[in-house]
Amino acid sequence: MADLTAQPWFWWALGVTVGLPVVLLALTELHAALVRRGSAAARPVAFLRTFVVPAVALLLLVTQASQISAEVTWVRVIATVAGLLVLLVVLSGFNVALFSNAREGSWRARIPSIFVDIVRVGVVVVGLAVLFSWVWGADVGGLFTALGVTSIVLGLALQNAAGSIISGLLLLFEQPFRIGDWLDTGSTRGRVVEVNWRAVHIETGDGIRVVPNASLAGAEFTNLSVPSTEHTDSLTVTFATADPPDRVRTVLLRTADRLPALASGARPAVAVLGAGSYEVALPLPTVTAVGATRSLFLGSLWYAARREGLHLDGDDGWGTPLPTGADALGRLAPVLRLDDEQVAAFADAVSVERFGDGEVTQPSGAVPDAMGVLLDGAGYLALPAPAGETRSVLELGTGDLLSPTALTREPAALVAVSVGESTVVRIPVDTVREMVRQRPDLARDVGAEIDRRREAAGLGGEAGPSRAAAGRAQRPPRPVSR
């Protein structure tokens, strides 16, 4: 027994025979625990257990336990494979330790993956060179010299392109802006839609502006989206000089107030510049809301100006003439339960208005002074929400009522919004009451509509007791007995 333990291969063989199963068992348990935790270290541990440990164990058995010379070619092949596997598992472990668990916003999370890949390739090349030099006795000095000279030549030949690429990589590493942010470079203002190694693509509204990374890296620019705070968008509109400034200002403010994307608690402002020009300031929650809000405002203003008889940009009139009150009321006669004589009697009291897509046809929070009926087009009823947002609760079509609480004299809790171009008939409250007096069934229809909206909104109705209030509205006051 003493002679056996004295053999130089004995302890190596015993260590590999006993240690290999123990190490594999321990790594298997560790891998299972990491998988249960969802850790990124599970893959390097699995690679270590499956490839590295068996390869190293085989190398030890061959070179130490079997006493085979390391100069044998197939032994050198085993040593090369084992060394390469060790190098790969070390690189994988560093990647997990440094980058896989990096906190958002830290330099480890911001560093571009191309940097990591370049460093990884460089380490692999150096590791292979050292491995071949150690195992095979190769002279790698000439190889490194050739690589260095080649790098210098390529760097001089491609210095302009390389400079732009390096600038792009530095921008990706620093991340002063992201996709979707709004930039102001002095000569360009718009939204970032693409960032690559060479250039940044900015959508300006007139097209895509390609700005080289080297230009951004060597100049000042403003990221309008950071910090994400309120932004005021200013735009200038022109009316006919004959239009009264007070009326124009009122229309501008009313149109701007109904925009859904205004900053919470902020109010738009209008300044009279003279010569028919007006500057409108729209307070927005972020600069990213500028494009959609400006488009909605200008579209809504076109319709609002024509409803008020104003001349935006010197234009006048509608593209398609509005129907007369008699025509509009005749089309709605079945909805309002009117006969031909009643249509003729009430025709002069109603008005017809046209609205654009996304425009508010009936605001919430106030008692309507007229009952609106959708004549053409479509729309929806929505619950106002914080930050100017809305939540749709009911769709509207031809013949639907926009403001039934005008009859009950209760504030409207729902806001009505046009979908596409729509035409609305406005019936004054006094006229509605006369209609109800002549057609009592209309009051029941209005009450049922209010109940339907109450149920859809889930807020206890647009306001108050709908059916009872509608019933009271249709009954004339009781005479007082003496």
Side-chain angles (χ1 to χ4, degrees):
M1 184 65 181
D3 294 339
L4 181 63
T5 58
Q7 297 297 322
W9 53 266
F10 175 78
W11 294 109
W12 285 103
L14 180 64
V16 172
T17 304
V18 177
L20 179 61
V22 173
V23 171
L24 291 178
L25 180 61
L27 290 176
T28 300
E29 294 298 325
L30 177 61
H31 177 261
L34 292 174
V35 169
R36 287 194 298 269
R37 293 169 52 187
S39 175
R43 290 188 61 185
V45 170
F47 187 83
L48 178 65
R49 178 199 61 188
T50 307
F51 299 104
V52 178
V53 171
V56 173
L58 177 62
L59 181 63
L60 291 177
L61 282 176
V62 170
T63 58
Q64 303 298 327
S66 300
Q67 298 292 306
I68 299 177
S69 173
E71 302 297 326
V72 178
T73 301
W74 63 270
V75 175
R76 288 182 174 182
V77 172
I78 295 176
T80 303
V81 172
L84 180 60
L85 293 175
V86 170
L87 179 62
L88 292 178
V89 78
V90 169
L91 287 175
S92 181
F94 272 113
N95 183 65
V96 171
L98 291 178
F99 303 109
S100 295
N101 299 318
R103 294 191 307 272
E104 186 176 357
S106 64
W107 68 270
R108 293 184 298 167
R110 294 198 311 268
I111 189 169
S113 59
I114 184 64
F115 279 0
V116 180
D117 294 337
I118 291 175
V119 173
R120 184 182 290 116
V121 169
V123 172
V124 169
V125 170
V126 173
L128 287 176
V130 173
L131 187 62
F132 274 89
S133 177
W134 173 53
V135 175
W136 298 90
D139 182 12
V140 296
L143 175 62
F144 281 110
T145 301
L147 289 176
V149 173
T150 304
S151 299
I152 293 174
V153 173
L154 290 176
L156 292 175
L158 303 175
Q159 55 182 336
N160 292 332
S164 183
I165 292 176
I166 292 174
S167 298
L169 293 176
L170 291 177
L171 283 176
L172 291 174
F173 174 70
E174 185 181 359
Q175 288 189 353
F177 53 82
R178 298 182 179 182
I179 301 296
D181 286 355
W182 284 70
L183 296 187
D184 186 354
T185 65
S187 59
T188 303
R189 179 187 175 102
R191 184 172 61 91
V192 177
V193 295
E194 182 181 349
V195 180
N196 54 42
W197 295 0
R198 193 188 69 82
V200 176
H201 295 199
I202 301 177
E203 183 181 7
T204 63
D206 297 327
I208 301 296
R209 182 77 177 269
V210 180
V211 181
N213 291 328
S215 299
L216 286 178
E220 295 182 353
F221 60 87
T222 303
N223 188 342
L224 300 175
S225 300
V226 179
S228 182
T229 56
E230 292 185 8
H231 171 78
T232 300
D233 180 36
S234 297
L235 66 159
T236 302
V237 294
T238 304
F239 284 77
T241 55
D243 290 338
D246 288 344
R247 285 185 57 198
V248 173
R249 187 174 181 274
T250 300
V251 170
L252 289 172
L253 286 175
R254 184 169 63 238
T255 305
D257 271 331
R258 293 180 178 179
L259 294 173
L262 293 181
S264 179
R267 295 293 305 278
V270 176
V272 181
L273 303 180
S277 296
Y278 301 82
E279 184 179 40
V280 184
L282 303 176
L284 304 175
T286 63
V287 70
T288 56
V290 168
T293 303
R294 179 178 288 199
S295 176
L296 178 59
F297 173 74
L298 293 175
S300 300
L301 183 61
W302 189 92
Y303 287 90
R306 279 152 180 78
R307 287 195 299 270
E308 296 296 329
L310 301 176
H311 307 82
L312 178 64
D313 294 329
D315 293 334
D316 189 17
W318 298 95
T320 303
L322 291 173
T324 63
D327 292 339
L329 210 55
R331 291 171 55 186
L332 297 176
V335 176
L336 301 175
R337 300 178 180 272
L338 303 177
D339 56 28
D340 292 341
E341 293 183 1
Q342 291 166 330
V343 168
F346 297 129
D348 293 338
V350 304
S351 60
V352 182
E353 300 175 344
R354 186 168 289 158
F355 294 85
D357 184 37
E359 198 173 0
V360 174
T361 56
Q362 175 59 55
S364 62
V367 178
D369 56 3
M371 187 171 71
V373 187
L374 192 59
L375 180 65
D376 287 312
Y380 64 89
L381 294 171
L383 281 168
E389 299 174 354
T390 57
R391 179 170 64 87
S392 176
V393 296
L394 276 178
E395 294 183 356
L396 297 175
T398 300
D400 283 338
L401 304 180
L402 300 182
S403 46
T405 56
L407 180 60
T408 61
R409 308 311 297 152
E410 299 285 350
L414 300 177
V415 59
V417 182
S418 175
V419 176
E421 188 175 80
S422 61
T423 305
V424 175
V425 177
R426 299 285 187 193
I427 309 174
V429 173
D430 292 340
T431 304
V432 175
R433 287 175 177 168
E434 182 61 24
M435 290 180 178
V436 167
R437 190 185 66 81
Q438 297 183 25
R439 296 292 188 181
D441 289 347
L442 178 59
R444 288 192 291 270
D445 294 343
V446 173
E449 182 64 21
I450 297 176
D451 285 340
R452 185 171 75 98
R453 297 179 184 194
R454 173 194 302 166
E455 181 180 356
L459 296 178
E462 282 202 286
S466 56
R467 288 185 183 272
R472 289 194 300 270
Q474 68 173 312
R475 292 193 295 268
R478 181 181 299 176
V480 179
S481 59
R482 296 184 182 273

